[in-house]
Amino acid sequence: REGGQAAMETLAESSPGRWFSADFVKAQPATVQRAQAWIAGIAPEGYAACCDALAASDLRDDLGRITTPTLLLACSSDPVTTVSDAQAMQASIPGAQLAVVPASHLSNLEAPRAFNQAVLHFLSTPQLTS
C-alpha cells in the first residue's frame, strides 16, 4: 500500500523464483516476463486487500463440510503451497482427489499439458458423491 505501483513492480521482479522452477525461468523468459507484467499491473490496494483476506482466513476446520467432488492440484516444486499442504486438505475433504503436477506455483503456465490432463481426467471421470 505504501509503495504503490513501484512496490508492485518490485514484487513482480522478485516473484519468478516462487512461481516457476529455475529451469523454466531459464527456458521460458518471455512467459516469465509476461507473468511479471501481470503482477506489476495489479492495483496495489487490491493486492493488499487480497493479502489481508488470505492472512485472516483459516478455513481448515471447514474442509470436511465440502461435499462437491474436489480435485486438488499441487505442484512438486511449489515453495508456497506444498504437496504436503494439498495432502492435508485431501485428508480432510471426503473423496477428494489429488494430482501432482511437475512444476512450481503457476503450473498452468509452466506445465500446461500436465495441468490440463489432470483437470480433464477429473472432469471426465464419474465422481462418487455421498
Side-chain angles (χ1 to χ4, degrees):
R1 287 182 173 109
E2 292 175 17
Q5 210 60 47
M8 294 306 300
E9 292 170 10
T10 300
L11 177 67
E13 290 172 16
S14 69
S15 295
R18 292 185 303 277
W19 294 341
F20 302 109
S21 68
D23 289 342
F24 186 82
V25 171
K26 290 177 194 169
Q28 299 293 328
T31 301
V32 172
Q33 289 168 355
R34 190 168 63 245
Q36 287 176 287
W38 296 333
I39 291 296
I42 292 174
E45 184 60 35
Y47 184 83
C50 180
C51 291
D52 290 343
L54 290 172
S57 297
D58 184 353
L59 303 174
R60 289 176 287 187
D61 290 341
D62 294 322
L63 292 174
R65 296 174 53 201
I66 296 173
T67 59
T68 302
T70 302
L71 172 64
L72 300 160
L73 281 168
C75 301
S76 58
S77 302
D78 191 341
V80 180
T81 51
T82 66
V83 172
S84 62
D85 293 331
Q87 290 168 331
M89 291 174 64
Q90 181 186 23
S92 296
I93 301 170
Q97 295 180 37
L98 172 63
V100 179
V101 177
S104 190
H105 196 67
L106 297 182
S107 59
N108 60 319
L109 296 178
E110 183 170 348
R113 183 171 288 127
F115 177 92
N116 290 340
Q117 286 176 341
V119 172
L120 290 172
H121 176 74
F122 177 76
L123 293 174
S124 66
T125 303
Q127 306 298 315
L128 297 176
T129 57
S130 49

